[in-house]
Structure formats: structure tokens, C-alpha cells
Amino acid sequence: MKTSENTMLVTGGGSGIGRELARRFNALGNTVIVVGRRLETLEATIAGRRNMHAMVLDVEDPEAITALADRVVAEYPSLNVLINNAGIMRREDLTRTRDLHDSEQTVVTNLLGPIRLTNALTDHLVNQPDAAIVNVSSGLAFVPLSSTPTYNATKAALHSYTVSLREQLKGKIEVIELAPPAVHTELNPASRPAHAMPLDEFIDEVMALFRGQPTPREILVEQVNFLRWAERDGHFDQALEMLNAH
Ligand SMILES: NC(=O)c1ccc[n+]([C@@H]2O[C@H](COP(=O)([O-])OP(=O)(O)OC[C@H]3O[C@@H](n4cnc5c(N)ncnc54)[C@H](OP(=O)(O)O)[C@@H]3O)[C@@H](O)[C@H]2O)c1
């Protein structure tokens, strides 16, 4: 993937990983549009920076996704990179019958959100030079944290979907998966382990990997490899136990 002179759309760009990715890519000479539900946090992301723009989008709303995609393509016809980063993480107690609102919202945001936004932009992106889609999954796609079951499941599904997307779009759009380990952000601080990476350190490593030519199809910082390759390397049970030991 090219790392400069792109026009990029970043979901969840008002905080955490999305905000830092948006700012770092902008600093490398990219035009970046950040989207999310809260305009004030998006405006804080872009404040004082050139070639950064903010638009409100709730990725739970399919009509809003279509409208946003149409608007972005009309206002920024050079759009060539989509980063599906927005996500939520909720704790869920599976030991009793419960209200499934959190489960359903997690599936709609973390899985249907990227599927719908990618779909809305595919006809545009396939005709763009140097087009790329980056889907942000998680190390928990590969070894689950049992207290956040639907979250893990959506990330495992997003991993699988991304593999199919890459195969179908081969030669047309570069498809990259970014699977972070635990990182210090606003995402469910109650589930964050003590060894979570500082955000700056994580983004430094991620940007170095993005600069690799060709860009790896999976952006994996060193700390996530233990989870990413647990099954292949024969330490899945050990990883599951370590992750879930409280
Ligand atoms: N931090 C970690 O440890 C970690 C580890 C692995 C993977 N990840 C993944 O990294 C991505 C970014 O998470 P983060 O850690 O940076 O957490 P974060 O700071 O909470 O950021 C999540 C972003 O998603 C946006 N978002 C949530 N629901 C949305 C919706 N319905 N429509 C539009 N935007 C929405 C939020 O903005 P609004 O609230 O303003 O909408 C927020 O800016 C997520 O996909 C997460 O699963 C994080």
C-alpha cells in the first residue's frame, strides 16, 4: 500500500487507534477523512491539521452508511483507501439468559459495519489506482477473551471475511488486516490487561509495518504474534489460559 498521497477514510477516527492512524497518515502527506458518532472528538482529531476532514457517521445505520459513502465519493473523488477501524467491546455474562442488546450491537458495529461500508464503496474503489482496504480485527480473533464473547466472535468473523475479500479483489484492491494486541485506548478499559501496549508505541510499530514494500497482508506487531499464531504453533491452550487467568 502506498503510504503517502492517498485519500483515506478512517472510521472511529475520533479516538484511540483510529485517531492516531489518521494523524500519522496525514503527517505522511495523505488527505484523511475521519468519521464516527461524536463530532466533537472528530474535530479534536483534525484540529490545526491540513487536509483532514470530519464527518458524522453511525456505522450501525445502513442508510447513513450509504449516504456517507455517496457524500465522500462526491466531495473527495480521489478516495482510494478505506480503514474500517470503528468497534465496540462489551463484557457479557453467558451463564444466564440475558438481554441480547450488547451482543446484537457488537455484531452490527464490528462485523456488519465493515461489510456494509466496504460494499458501499467497492464500485468506487475498484476504479481507483492504488486502492486499499484495511480491516482492524484483533488478537482476540485468534484466542478469545471469554468475558467478551461476541466481540471475539465478530473479530474472528472479520478475519475470515477479510481473507475472502482479499482473494476476490486480488489485482483490484489491496486488502490488509490490522490485528492489534491489547493497547491503551478508550475501548473497554475494564477488560484491558496490565501488559497492554502504550498507544504511541503500538502506532510506531504499525506505521513501520505499513511502510514495508509490499505491505504485509496482515499488520502484526510483535506483541500480538503469541495470539495470532497460537494454534499453528501449538500453544493455543496455554494462550487461552494465560489470557483468561484472573
Ligand atoms: N485497544 C485495544 O486493545 C484493541 C485491541 C484489538 C483490536 N482493537 C480494535 O481497534 C479498533 C479501534 O479501537 P480503539 O482501541 O481505538 O477503541 P476506541 O478508542 O474506543 O475507538 C473506537 C472508535 O469507534 C467509534 N465507534 C464505535 N461505535 C461506532 C459506531 N456505531 N459508528 C461509528 N463509529 C463508532 C468510536 O467513536 P464514537 O463513539 O464517536 O462513535 C471510537 O472512536 C476497534 O475495532 C477495536 O476492536 C483494539
Side-chain angles (χ1 to χ4, degrees):
M1 182 185 134
K2 258 191 349 182
T3 53
S4 61
E5 295 171 11
N6 298 296
T7 303
M8 317 175 83
L9 177 64
V10 181
T11 68
S15 63
I17 293 170
R19 169 177 281 180
E20 291 312 313
L21 281 178
R23 286 178 171 171
R24 295 287 186 102
F25 273 116
N26 173 249
L28 290 176
N30 296 285
T31 296
V32 184
I33 305 132
V34 286
V35 301
R37 291 168 300 184
R38 294 167 293 166
L39 185 59
E40 62 284 5
T41 62
L42 298 169
E43 282 180 339
T45 296
I46 70 170
R49 293 163 200 264
R50 293 185 56 222
N51 299 322
M52 287 196 89
H53 311 276
M55 293 183 190
V56 170
L57 172 67
D58 181 350
V59 298
E60 283 186 65
D61 178 349
E63 284 170 15
I65 287 180
T66 311
L68 184 282
D70 291 347
R71 181 179 164 202
V72 170
V73 168
E75 290 183 22
Y76 304 97
S78 57
L79 179 82
N80 67 322
V81 177
L82 166 63
I83 303 187
N84 282 308
N85 161 79
I88 56 169
M89 182 186 205
R90 299 276 158 77
R91 282 171 170 265
E92 297 166 86
D93 178 358
L94 307 186
T95 62
R96 55 189 166 76
T97 301
R98 66 216 154 97
D99 179 298
L100 285 180
H101 177 262
D102 281 348
S103 266
E104 290 167 3
Q105 191 182 12
T106 303
V107 172
V108 172
T109 304
N110 295 4
L111 181 58
L112 277 178
I115 290 174
R116 286 171 170 155
L117 185 55
T118 299
N119 182 57
L121 288 170
T122 299
D123 286 350
H124 173 77
L125 291 176
V126 290
N127 290 312
Q128 289 298 109
D130 304 308
I133 296 171
V134 179
N135 285 340
V136 179
S137 64
S138 169
L140 301 181
F142 305 98
V143 182
L145 178 67
S146 62
S147 57
T148 60
T150 306
Y151 176 83
N152 313 321
T154 60
K155 295 299 187 177
L158 186 61
H159 164 72
S160 173
Y161 193 85
T162 303
V163 173
S164 301
L165 194 66
R166 181 181 301 121
E167 289 304 307
Q168 289 205 23
L169 292 174
K170 207 170 268 175
K172 298 185 179 108
I173 302 176
E174 190 172 348
V175 176
I176 296 165
E177 178 174 352
L178 166 56
V183 179
H184 278 274
T185 66
E186 289 170 21
L187 190 80
N188 201 341
S191 298
R192 188 193 298 141
H195 60 74
M197 285 185 83
L199 183 53
D200 263 8
E201 208 176 284
F202 169 71
I203 296 290
D204 284 346
E205 215 178 321
V206 164
M207 296 310 292
L209 291 164
F210 267 115
R211 279 193 292 274
Q213 287 304 326
T215 311
R217 64 187 182 180
E218 293 184 12
I219 301 282
L220 302 169
V221 301
E222 191 54 40
Q223 196 163 313
V224 83
N225 282 320
F226 182 66
L227 298 179
R228 173 64 184 95
W229 305 114
E231 193 130 8
R232 182 194 73 182
D233 294 348
H235 59 250
F236 181 87
D237 289 350
Q238 185 198 352
L240 187 66
E241 199 180 315
M242 281 176 65
L243 201 58
N244 292 290
H246 319 285

